[in-house]
Amino acid sequence: MISELQVGVITQTHGIKGEVKVFPTTDDAGRFKRLKEVIMDTGKERLDMEIEGVKFFKQYAILKFKGYDSINDVEKYKNARLYVTRDKAVRLRKDEYFVADLIGMDVVTEDGEAFGRVKDVLVTGANDVYVVERDNHPEALLPAIKDCVKDVDIEQGKITVHIMDGLV
């Protein structure tokens, strides 16, 4: 299980007072209002950053980090990824999962037969869709609905599915 979850990527600076524009990689961009700190991964180093201010502009969160007060302080952080530790992640409801936990999970049929491995999760309006990579077969797209996904066992790294007619 992954110990940190990505919540955003810094796309560019915003203004001259040290703010950065962040593209949220979380379902709920409003969660930035409740965050006090993030871990910034620049690709070369990881920094614990304290959030001093948050506002929103279009689909972006505008963050101000404590101690970074000019455009020159933050310009070098373009494309840096922002993470939170799992204990600071949003609480999930029953039958909700972090996409990061689903990627790479083994998918088996109700009969226990190996079916493939989750490669990606597509977020659609109606329900999520699991993209399942299969050996010697084309990818399968499985809707994340009760009729198809019978069990998700994060601890075992296994998803049990019912292959509905016409899916494969």
Side-chain angles (χ1 to χ4, degrees):
M1 194 181 314
I2 297 170
S3 63
E4 296 172 348
L5 300 165
Q6 184 176 317
V7 293
V9 178
I10 296 175
T11 60
Q12 60 188 8
T13 58
H14 181 81
I16 60 169
K17 296 182 180 177
E19 293 175 315
V20 292
K21 192 181 285 189
V22 175
F23 180 77
T25 56
T26 176
D27 285 350
D28 178 17
R31 76 178 321 276
F32 283 98
K33 288 186 271 189
R34 297 180 298 279
L35 279 178
K36 302 284 185 242
E37 65 235 350
V38 292
I39 300 163
M40 183 191 311
D41 186 344
T42 67
K44 295 179 183 168
E45 61 183 336
R46 295 171 61 80
L47 305 167
D48 293 326
M49 305 295 282
E50 187 177 338
I51 297 174
E52 188 175 276
V54 178
K55 56 189 176 185
F56 297 93
F57 178 73
K58 296 185 181 175
Q59 78 266 33
Y60 296 96
I62 308 297
L63 301 186
K64 168 75 174 71
F65 297 119
K66 187 173 186 176
Y68 295 80
D69 300 319
S70 82
I71 189 171
N72 297 331
D73 295 340
V74 294
E75 210 164 29
K76 60 187 170 197
Y77 297 130
K78 287 179 188 173
N79 300 316
R81 298 179 186 282
L82 302 178
Y83 295 88
V84 295
T85 54
R86 191 168 285 273
D87 63 313
K88 301 236 180 2
V90 294
R91 298 284 169 239
L92 298 175
R93 294 189 298 260
K94 185 180 184 315
D95 295 329
E96 285 187 333
Y97 308 96
F98 292 114
V99 170
D101 290 339
L102 297 173
I103 302 294
M105 287 184 73
D106 291 323
V107 178
V108 297
T109 65
E110 293 169 297
D111 303 329
E113 191 177 316
F115 185 76
R117 182 167 293 213
V118 177
K119 174 182 171 185
D120 198 3
V121 177
L122 305 176
V123 179
T124 69
N127 53 266
D128 291 350
V129 176
Y130 298 165
V131 179
V132 180
E133 196 170 41
R134 304 176 65 207
D135 293 335
N136 305 318
H137 296 287
E139 287 180 345
L141 300 176
L142 304 179
I145 58 175
K146 291 264 184 226
D147 289 344
C148 185
V149 177
K150 295 301 183 183
D151 184 55
V152 177
D153 188 335
I154 297 290
E155 299 302 318
Q156 295 293 316
K158 181 172 77 172
I159 299 174
T160 304
V161 296
H162 167 74
I163 305 301
M164 299 163 50
D165 290 339
L167 279 182
V168 181

Short mmCIF file of all heavy atoms in Angstrom, two decimals, residues 55-112:
data_model
loop_
_atom_site.label_atom_id
_atom_site.label_comp_id
_atom_site.label_asym_id
_atom_site.label_seq_id
_atom_site.Cartn_x
_atom_site.Cartn_y
_atom_site.Cartn_z
N LYS A 55 -6.49 29.79 -2.28
CA LYS A 55 -7.63 30.36 -2.99
C LYS A 55 -7.78 29.57 -4.28
O LYS A 55 -6.94 28.71 -4.58
CB LYS A 55 -7.47 31.86 -3.21
CG LYS A 55 -6.23 32.29 -3.95
CD LYS A 55 -6.09 33.81 -3.91
CE LYS A 55 -4.79 34.23 -4.57
NZ LYS A 55 -4.56 35.67 -4.44
N PHE A 56 -8.83 29.84 -5.01
CA PHE A 56 -9.10 29.06 -6.21
C PHE A 56 -9.27 29.97 -7.41
O PHE A 56 -9.79 31.07 -7.30
CB PHE A 56 -10.34 28.19 -6.01
CG PHE A 56 -10.15 27.18 -4.91
CD1 PHE A 56 -10.53 27.47 -3.61
CD2 PHE A 56 -9.54 25.97 -5.16
CE1 PHE A 56 -10.34 26.55 -2.59
CE2 PHE A 56 -9.33 25.04 -4.16
CZ PHE A 56 -9.73 25.34 -2.87
N PHE A 57 -8.81 29.49 -8.56
CA PHE A 57 -8.94 30.21 -9.82
C PHE A 57 -9.20 29.19 -10.91
O PHE A 57 -8.36 28.32 -11.16
CB PHE A 57 -7.66 31.00 -10.12
CG PHE A 57 -7.70 31.74 -11.43
CD1 PHE A 57 -8.48 32.87 -11.59
CD2 PHE A 57 -6.95 31.28 -12.51
CE1 PHE A 57 -8.52 33.54 -12.79
CE2 PHE A 57 -6.97 31.94 -13.72
CZ PHE A 57 -7.76 33.08 -13.86
N LYS A 58 -10.40 29.24 -11.49
CA LYS A 58 -10.83 28.24 -12.48
C LYS A 58 -10.68 26.86 -11.87
O LYS A 58 -11.17 26.62 -10.78
CB LYS A 58 -10.09 28.42 -13.79
CG LYS A 58 -10.39 29.75 -14.47
CD LYS A 58 -9.75 29.88 -15.81
CE LYS A 58 -10.08 31.24 -16.41
NZ LYS A 58 -9.40 31.48 -17.65
N GLN A 59 -9.98 25.94 -12.56
CA GLN A 59 -9.85 24.58 -12.00
C GLN A 59 -8.61 24.44 -11.11
O GLN A 59 -8.30 23.34 -10.68
CB GLN A 59 -9.84 23.53 -13.11
CG GLN A 59 -8.54 23.38 -13.86
CD GLN A 59 -8.45 24.22 -15.12
OE1 GLN A 59 -9.01 25.31 -15.19
NE2 GLN A 59 -7.74 23.72 -16.11
N TYR A 60 -7.91 25.52 -10.83
CA TYR A 60 -6.66 25.47 -10.07
C TYR A 60 -6.83 25.90 -8.62
O TYR A 60 -7.68 26.72 -8.29
CB TYR A 60 -5.61 26.39 -10.72
CG TYR A 60 -5.22 25.97 -12.10
CD1 TYR A 60 -5.83 26.54 -13.21
CD2 TYR A 60 -4.26 24.99 -12.31
CE1 TYR A 60 -5.48 26.15 -14.50
CE2 TYR A 60 -3.91 24.60 -13.58
CZ TYR A 60 -4.53 25.16 -14.68
OH TYR A 60 -4.19 24.76 -15.93
N ALA A 61 -5.96 25.36 -7.78
CA ALA A 61 -5.82 25.85 -6.41
C ALA A 61 -4.58 26.74 -6.42
O ALA A 61 -3.56 26.39 -7.01
CB ALA A 61 -5.63 24.69 -5.45
N ILE A 62 -4.69 27.90 -5.81
CA ILE A 62 -3.55 28.81 -5.69
C ILE A 62 -3.04 28.68 -4.26
O ILE A 62 -3.78 28.98 -3.32
CB ILE A 62 -3.95 30.28 -5.99
CG1 ILE A 62 -4.69 30.39 -7.32
CG2 ILE A 62 -2.73 31.18 -5.93
CD1 ILE A 62 -3.91 30.00 -8.55
N LEU A 63 -1.80 28.20 -4.10
CA LEU A 63 -1.25 27.99 -2.77
C LEU A 63 -0.15 28.98 -2.47
O LEU A 63 0.63 29.34 -3.34
CB LEU A 63 -0.67 26.57 -2.64
CG LEU A 63 -1.59 25.39 -2.88
CD1 LEU A 63 -0.87 24.09 -2.56
CD2 LEU A 63 -2.85 25.50 -2.05
N LYS A 64 -0.10 29.37 -1.21
CA LYS A 64 0.98 30.22 -0.70
C LYS A 64 1.64 29.41 0.42
O LYS A 64 0.98 28.99 1.36
CB LYS A 64 0.39 31.53 -0.15
CG LYS A 64 1.35 32.38 0.66
CD LYS A 64 2.34 33.08 -0.24
CE LYS A 64 3.22 34.04 0.53
NZ LYS A 64 4.19 33.40 1.39
N PHE A 65 2.95 29.18 0.26
CA PHE A 65 3.69 28.43 1.26
C PHE A 65 4.37 29.39 2.24
O PHE A 65 4.89 30.43 1.84
CB PHE A 65 4.76 27.55 0.60
CG PHE A 65 4.19 26.50 -0.31
CD1 PHE A 65 4.51 26.49 -1.65
CD2 PHE A 65 3.34 25.51 0.18
CE1 PHE A 65 3.99 25.52 -2.50
CE2 PHE A 65 2.82 24.55 -0.66
CZ PHE A 65 3.15 24.55 -2.01
N LYS A 66 4.37 29.02 3.50
CA LYS A 66 4.98 29.85 4.54
C LYS A 66 6.49 29.98 4.27
O LYS A 66 7.17 29.00 4.01
CB LYS A 66 4.75 29.23 5.91
CG LYS A 66 5.20 30.09 7.04
CD LYS A 66 4.80 29.51 8.38
CE LYS A 66 5.16 30.50 9.45
NZ LYS A 66 4.70 30.04 10.75
N GLY A 67 6.98 31.22 4.30
CA GLY A 67 8.41 31.47 4.11
C GLY A 67 8.82 31.67 2.66
O GLY A 67 9.98 31.94 2.38
N TYR A 68 7.89 31.54 1.74
CA TYR A 68 8.15 31.74 0.31
C TYR A 68 7.34 32.95 -0.11
O TYR A 68 6.12 32.85 -0.32
CB TYR A 68 7.77 30.50 -0.50
CG TYR A 68 8.61 29.30 -0.15
CD1 TYR A 68 8.37 28.53 0.98
CD2 TYR A 68 9.69 28.94 -0.97
CE1 TYR A 68 9.15 27.45 1.31
CE2 TYR A 68 10.48 27.85 -0.65
CZ TYR A 68 10.21 27.11 0.48
OH TYR A 68 11.00 26.03 0.80
N ASP A 69 8.00 34.11 -0.20
CA ASP A 69 7.28 35.37 -0.32
C ASP A 69 7.47 36.12 -1.63
O ASP A 69 6.95 37.22 -1.79
CB ASP A 69 7.65 36.28 0.85
CG ASP A 69 7.27 35.64 2.19
OD1 ASP A 69 6.18 35.04 2.26
OD2 ASP A 69 8.07 35.72 3.14
N SER A 70 8.21 35.54 -2.56
CA SER A 70 8.36 36.21 -3.86
C SER A 70 8.35 35.18 -4.98
O SER A 70 8.58 33.99 -4.75
CB SER A 70 9.66 37.02 -3.91
OG SER A 70 10.76 36.18 -4.21
N ILE A 71 8.12 35.67 -6.16
CA ILE A 71 8.11 34.80 -7.34
C ILE A 71 9.45 34.07 -7.48
O ILE A 71 9.50 32.92 -7.89
CB ILE A 71 7.75 35.61 -8.62
CG1 ILE A 71 7.51 34.66 -9.80
CG2 ILE A 71 8.80 36.65 -8.92
CD1 ILE A 71 6.94 35.36 -11.03
N ASN A 72 10.53 34.74 -7.09
CA ASN A 72 11.86 34.12 -7.19
C ASN A 72 12.02 32.91 -6.27
O ASN A 72 12.77 31.99 -6.56
CB ASN A 72 12.95 35.15 -6.88
CG ASN A 72 12.96 36.28 -7.89
OD1 ASN A 72 12.60 36.10 -9.05
ND2 ASN A 72 13.35 37.47 -7.45
N ASP A 73 11.29 32.91 -5.14
CA ASP A 73 11.37 31.80 -4.19
C ASP A 73 10.70 30.53 -4.72
O ASP A 73 11.07 29.42 -4.34
CB ASP A 73 10.69 32.17 -2.86
CG ASP A 73 11.40 33.28 -2.12
OD1 ASP A 73 12.59 33.53 -2.40
OD2 ASP A 73 10.75 33.92 -1.26
N VAL A 74 9.70 30.69 -5.59
CA VAL A 74 8.90 29.53 -6.01
C VAL A 74 9.03 29.15 -7.48
O VAL A 74 8.58 28.09 -7.89
CB VAL A 74 7.40 29.75 -5.69
CG1 VAL A 74 7.17 29.81 -4.19
CG2 VAL A 74 6.85 30.99 -6.38
N GLU A 75 9.68 30.00 -8.26
CA GLU A 75 9.80 29.75 -9.70
C GLU A 75 10.41 28.39 -10.02
O GLU A 75 10.00 27.71 -10.96
CB GLU A 75 10.64 30.87 -10.33
CG GLU A 75 10.26 31.16 -11.74
CD GLU A 75 10.82 32.50 -12.19
OE1 GLU A 75 11.88 32.93 -11.69
OE2 GLU A 75 10.17 33.09 -13.05
N LYS A 76 11.35 27.96 -9.21
CA LYS A 76 12.06 26.70 -9.46
C LYS A 76 11.20 25.46 -9.18
O LYS A 76 11.60 24.35 -9.46
CB LYS A 76 13.33 26.64 -8.62
CG LYS A 76 13.08 26.72 -7.13
CD LYS A 76 14.38 26.83 -6.36
CE LYS A 76 14.09 27.15 -4.90
NZ LYS A 76 15.24 27.64 -4.21
N TYR A 77 10.00 25.66 -8.64
CA TYR A 77 9.16 24.51 -8.27
C TYR A 77 8.09 24.16 -9.30
O TYR A 77 7.23 23.32 -9.04
CB TYR A 77 8.51 24.76 -6.90
CG TYR A 77 9.53 24.88 -5.80
CD1 TYR A 77 9.49 25.95 -4.92
CD2 TYR A 77 10.54 23.94 -5.66
CE1 TYR A 77 10.43 26.07 -3.91
CE2 TYR A 77 11.49 24.06 -4.66
CZ TYR A 77 11.42 25.13 -3.79
OH TYR A 77 12.36 25.24 -2.80
N LYS A 78 8.18 24.75 -10.49
CA LYS A 78 7.24 24.38 -11.56
C LYS A 78 7.38 22.89 -11.83
O LYS A 78 8.50 22.35 -11.86
CB LYS A 78 7.54 25.16 -12.83
CG LYS A 78 7.15 26.62 -12.76
CD LYS A 78 7.50 27.32 -14.05
CE LYS A 78 7.30 28.81 -13.92
NZ LYS A 78 7.78 29.54 -15.09
N ASN A 79 6.26 22.23 -12.02
CA ASN A 79 6.16 20.78 -12.28
C ASN A 79 6.42 19.91 -11.06
O ASN A 79 6.44 18.68 -11.19
CB ASN A 79 7.07 20.35 -13.44
CG ASN A 79 6.72 21.07 -14.72
OD1 ASN A 79 5.54 21.20 -15.06
ND2 ASN A 79 7.72 21.56 -15.42
N ALA A 80 6.63 20.50 -9.91
CA ALA A 80 6.82 19.69 -8.70
C ALA A 80 5.48 19.05 -8.32
O ALA A 80 4.42 19.64 -8.51
CB ALA A 80 7.34 20.55 -7.54
N ARG A 81 5.55 17.85 -7.79
CA ARG A 81 4.36 17.12 -7.38
C ARG A 81 4.14 17.32 -5.88
O ARG A 81 5.10 17.36 -5.11
CB ARG A 81 4.50 15.65 -7.71
CG ARG A 81 4.63 15.42 -9.20
CD ARG A 81 4.80 13.95 -9.54
NE ARG A 81 5.05 13.74 -10.94
CZ ARG A 81 4.13 13.79 -11.90
NH1 ARG A 81 2.88 14.02 -11.58
NH2 ARG A 81 4.44 13.59 -13.15
N LEU A 82 2.87 17.42 -5.50
CA LEU A 82 2.52 17.61 -4.09
C LEU A 82 1.82 16.36 -3.56
O LEU A 82 0.93 15.82 -4.21
CB LEU A 82 1.60 18.83 -3.94
CG LEU A 82 2.16 20.15 -4.44
CD1 LEU A 82 1.12 21.26 -4.27
CD2 LEU A 82 3.46 20.51 -3.74
N TYR A 83 2.24 15.93 -2.38
CA TYR A 83 1.72 14.71 -1.77
C TYR A 83 1.26 14.99 -0.35
O TYR A 83 1.71 15.94 0.29
CB TYR A 83 2.82 13.63 -1.70
CG TYR A 83 3.28 13.15 -3.05
CD1 TYR A 83 4.30 13.79 -3.72
CD2 TYR A 83 2.69 12.04 -3.64
CE1 TYR A 83 4.73 13.35 -4.97
CE2 TYR A 83 3.11 11.59 -4.88
CZ TYR A 83 4.13 12.25 -5.54
OH TYR A 83 4.55 11.80 -6.77
N VAL A 84 0.39 14.12 0.14
CA VAL A 84 0.03 14.09 1.56
C VAL A 84 0.28 12.68 2.06
O VAL A 84 0.22 11.71 1.28
CB VAL A 84 -1.44 14.49 1.82
CG1 VAL A 84 -1.68 15.93 1.44
CG2 VAL A 84 -2.41 13.56 1.12
N THR A 85 0.57 12.57 3.34
CA THR A 85 0.71 11.24 3.93
C THR A 85 -0.69 10.65 4.06
O THR A 85 -1.69 11.37 4.11
CB THR A 85 1.39 11.31 5.30
OG1 THR A 85 0.68 12.23 6.12
CG2 THR A 85 2.85 11.76 5.17
N ARG A 86 -0.76 9.34 4.10
CA ARG A 86 -2.05 8.65 4.14
C ARG A 86 -2.91 9.10 5.33
O ARG A 86 -4.12 9.22 5.22
CB ARG A 86 -1.83 7.14 4.19
CG ARG A 86 -3.09 6.36 3.98
CD ARG A 86 -2.81 4.90 3.75
NE ARG A 86 -2.28 4.65 2.44
CZ ARG A 86 -3.03 4.42 1.36
NH1 ARG A 86 -4.34 4.43 1.45
NH2 ARG A 86 -2.48 4.19 0.19
N ASP A 87 -2.28 9.41 6.45
CA ASP A 87 -3.06 9.84 7.62
C ASP A 87 -3.70 11.22 7.42
O ASP A 87 -4.63 11.60 8.12
CB ASP A 87 -2.21 9.82 8.90
CG ASP A 87 -1.05 10.79 8.85
OD1 ASP A 87 -0.33 10.82 7.83
OD2 ASP A 87 -0.84 11.52 9.84
N LYS A 88 -3.23 11.98 6.42
CA LYS A 88 -3.81 13.29 6.11
C LYS A 88 -4.75 13.22 4.90
O LYS A 88 -5.31 14.24 4.49
CB LYS A 88 -2.70 14.29 5.84
CG LYS A 88 -1.74 14.46 7.00
CD LYS A 88 -1.64 15.88 7.43
CE LYS A 88 -0.72 16.15 8.57
NZ LYS A 88 0.04 15.14 9.18
N ALA A 89 -4.91 12.03 4.36
CA ALA A 89 -5.77 11.86 3.19
C ALA A 89 -7.23 11.97 3.60
O ALA A 89 -7.57 11.81 4.77
CB ALA A 89 -5.51 10.50 2.55
N VAL A 90 -8.09 12.24 2.62
CA VAL A 90 -9.52 12.29 2.90
C VAL A 90 -10.00 10.92 3.35
O VAL A 90 -9.45 9.90 2.95
CB VAL A 90 -10.33 12.77 1.67
CG1 VAL A 90 -10.03 14.20 1.32
CG2 VAL A 90 -10.11 11.86 0.49
N ARG A 91 -11.00 10.92 4.20
CA ARG A 91 -11.59 9.67 4.68
C ARG A 91 -12.49 9.11 3.57
O ARG A 91 -13.29 9.85 2.99
CB ARG A 91 -12.41 9.89 5.94
CG ARG A 91 -11.58 10.42 7.09
CD ARG A 91 -10.73 9.30 7.69
NE ARG A 91 -9.75 9.87 8.62
CZ ARG A 91 -8.44 9.73 8.50
NH1 ARG A 91 -7.94 9.07 7.49
NH2 ARG A 91 -7.63 10.26 9.37
N LEU A 92 -12.34 7.84 3.32
CA LEU A 92 -13.15 7.20 2.29
C LEU A 92 -14.39 6.57 2.90
O LEU A 92 -14.36 6.09 4.03
CB LEU A 92 -12.33 6.11 1.58
CG LEU A 92 -11.09 6.60 0.84
CD1 LEU A 92 -10.32 5.41 0.29
CD2 LEU A 92 -11.47 7.54 -0.28
N ARG A 93 -15.45 6.57 2.12
CA ARG A 93 -16.66 5.87 2.54
C ARG A 93 -16.52 4.40 2.16
O ARG A 93 -15.59 4.00 1.45
CB ARG A 93 -17.89 6.48 1.85
CG ARG A 93 -18.14 7.92 2.31
CD ARG A 93 -19.48 8.43 1.79
NE ARG A 93 -19.55 8.49 0.34
CZ ARG A 93 -19.39 9.58 -0.39
NH1 ARG A 93 -19.15 10.73 0.19
NH2 ARG A 93 -19.48 9.53 -1.70
N LYS A 94 -17.47 3.61 2.61
CA LYS A 94 -17.48 2.18 2.29
C LYS A 94 -17.47 2.01 0.76
O LYS A 94 -18.15 2.74 0.05
CB LYS A 94 -18.74 1.54 2.89
CG LYS A 94 -18.81 0.04 2.73
CD LYS A 94 -20.08 -0.47 3.36
CE LYS A 94 -20.22 -1.96 3.35
NZ LYS A 94 -19.91 -2.68 2.19
N ASP A 95 -16.71 1.08 0.28
CA ASP A 95 -16.59 0.76 -1.15
C ASP A 95 -15.97 1.90 -1.97
O ASP A 95 -16.20 1.98 -3.18
CB ASP A 95 -17.93 0.35 -1.75
CG ASP A 95 -18.44 -0.95 -1.16
OD1 ASP A 95 -17.61 -1.80 -0.78
OD2 ASP A 95 -19.67 -1.13 -1.07
N GLU A 96 -15.21 2.78 -1.34
CA GLU A 96 -14.42 3.78 -2.05
C GLU A 96 -12.95 3.45 -1.84
O GLU A 96 -12.56 2.97 -0.77
CB GLU A 96 -14.68 5.19 -1.51
CG GLU A 96 -15.98 5.79 -1.93
CD GLU A 96 -16.12 7.25 -1.51
OE1 GLU A 96 -15.50 7.66 -0.51
OE2 GLU A 96 -16.84 7.97 -2.20
N TYR A 97 -12.13 3.72 -2.87
CA TYR A 97 -10.72 3.37 -2.82
C TYR A 97 -9.91 4.47 -3.48
O TYR A 97 -10.39 5.17 -4.36
CB TYR A 97 -10.47 2.04 -3.55
CG TYR A 97 -11.38 0.95 -3.06
CD1 TYR A 97 -12.56 0.65 -3.73
CD2 TYR A 97 -11.08 0.23 -1.91
CE1 TYR A 97 -13.42 -0.33 -3.27
CE2 TYR A 97 -11.92 -0.74 -1.43
CZ TYR A 97 -13.10 -1.02 -2.12
OH TYR A 97 -13.94 -1.98 -1.64
N PHE A 98 -8.67 4.60 -3.05
CA PHE A 98 -7.77 5.52 -3.73
C PHE A 98 -7.30 4.86 -5.02
O PHE A 98 -6.93 3.67 -5.02
CB PHE A 98 -6.56 5.84 -2.85
CG PHE A 98 -6.91 6.66 -1.64
CD1 PHE A 98 -6.76 6.12 -0.37
CD2 PHE A 98 -7.37 7.96 -1.76
CE1 PHE A 98 -7.08 6.87 0.76
CE2 PHE A 98 -7.70 8.71 -0.65
CZ PHE A 98 -7.55 8.16 0.61
N VAL A 99 -7.30 5.61 -6.11
CA VAL A 99 -6.85 5.08 -7.40
C VAL A 99 -5.45 4.52 -7.27
O VAL A 99 -5.14 3.45 -7.79
CB VAL A 99 -6.92 6.16 -8.50
CG1 VAL A 99 -6.24 5.70 -9.77
CG2 VAL A 99 -8.37 6.54 -8.77
N ALA A 100 -4.59 5.20 -6.51
CA ALA A 100 -3.21 4.74 -6.34
C ALA A 100 -3.14 3.34 -5.75
O ALA A 100 -2.22 2.58 -6.03
CB ALA A 100 -2.44 5.72 -5.45
N ASP A 101 -4.13 2.98 -4.91
CA ASP A 101 -4.16 1.64 -4.32
C ASP A 101 -4.64 0.59 -5.32
O ASP A 101 -4.27 -0.58 -5.23
CB ASP A 101 -5.06 1.61 -3.09
CG ASP A 101 -4.48 2.38 -1.92
OD1 ASP A 101 -3.24 2.59 -1.89
OD2 ASP A 101 -5.25 2.77 -1.03
N LEU A 102 -5.48 0.99 -6.27
CA LEU A 102 -6.05 0.04 -7.24
C LEU A 102 -5.08 -0.31 -8.35
O LEU A 102 -5.07 -1.44 -8.84
CB LEU A 102 -7.34 0.61 -7.84
CG LEU A 102 -8.48 0.83 -6.85
CD1 LEU A 102 -9.63 1.57 -7.55
CD2 LEU A 102 -8.96 -0.47 -6.26
N ILE A 103 -4.25 0.67 -8.75
CA ILE A 103 -3.30 0.42 -9.84
C ILE A 103 -2.36 -0.71 -9.45
O ILE A 103 -1.76 -0.71 -8.39
CB ILE A 103 -2.48 1.70 -10.16
CG1 ILE A 103 -3.39 2.87 -10.52
CG2 ILE A 103 -1.45 1.43 -11.26
CD1 ILE A 103 -4.16 2.74 -11.79
N GLY A 104 -2.25 -1.68 -10.35
CA GLY A 104 -1.34 -2.81 -10.12
C GLY A 104 -1.99 -3.99 -9.42
O GLY A 104 -1.38 -5.05 -9.28
N MET A 105 -3.24 -3.84 -8.97
CA MET A 105 -3.90 -4.96 -8.29
C MET A 105 -4.23 -6.07 -9.28
O MET A 105 -4.56 -5.81 -10.44
CB MET A 105 -5.18 -4.49 -7.59
CG MET A 105 -4.92 -3.67 -6.35
SD MET A 105 -6.42 -3.22 -5.45
CE MET A 105 -6.87 -4.79 -4.73
N ASP A 106 -4.14 -7.31 -8.81
CA ASP A 106 -4.52 -8.46 -9.62
C ASP A 106 -6.03 -8.52 -9.72
O ASP A 106 -6.73 -8.26 -8.74
CB ASP A 106 -3.99 -9.76 -9.00
CG ASP A 106 -2.48 -9.85 -9.09
OD1 ASP A 106 -1.91 -9.42 -10.11
OD2 ASP A 106 -1.87 -10.36 -8.13
N VAL A 107 -6.53 -8.90 -10.89
CA VAL A 107 -7.96 -9.06 -11.11
C VAL A 107 -8.20 -10.54 -11.39
O VAL A 107 -7.54 -11.13 -12.25
CB VAL A 107 -8.45 -8.19 -12.29
CG1 VAL A 107 -9.94 -8.40 -12.55
CG2 VAL A 107 -8.14 -6.73 -12.04
N VAL A 108 -9.13 -11.13 -10.63
CA VAL A 108 -9.48 -12.54 -10.81
C VAL A 108 -10.99 -12.65 -10.99
O VAL A 108 -11.75 -11.81 -10.51
CB VAL A 108 -9.03 -13.43 -9.61
CG1 VAL A 108 -7.52 -13.41 -9.47
CG2 VAL A 108 -9.69 -12.98 -8.33
N THR A 109 -11.40 -13.70 -11.69
CA THR A 109 -12.83 -13.94 -11.87
C THR A 109 -13.40 -14.58 -10.61
O THR A 109 -12.65 -15.02 -9.74
CB THR A 109 -13.10 -14.87 -13.07
OG1 THR A 109 -12.54 -16.15 -12.78
CG2 THR A 109 -12.50 -14.29 -14.35
N GLU A 110 -14.71 -14.67 -10.54
CA GLU A 110 -15.38 -15.30 -9.40
C GLU A 110 -14.93 -16.75 -9.23
O GLU A 110 -14.97 -17.29 -8.13
CB GLU A 110 -16.90 -15.29 -9.60
CG GLU A 110 -17.50 -13.92 -9.58
CD GLU A 110 -18.94 -13.93 -10.03
OE1 GLU A 110 -19.19 -14.28 -11.20
OE2 GLU A 110 -19.81 -13.59 -9.21
N ASP A 111 -14.49 -17.38 -10.32
CA ASP A 111 -14.02 -18.77 -10.28
C ASP A 111 -12.57 -18.87 -9.80
O ASP A 111 -12.01 -19.96 -9.76
CB ASP A 111 -14.14 -19.42 -11.66
CG ASP A 111 -15.55 -19.37 -12.21
OD1 ASP A 111 -16.50 -19.40 -11.39
OD2 ASP A 111 -15.71 -19.27 -13.44
N GLY A 112 -11.95 -17.72 -9.52
CA GLY A 112 -10.57 -17.71 -9.06
C GLY A 112 -9.55 -17.72 -10.18
O GLY A 112 -8.35 -17.84 -9.95
#
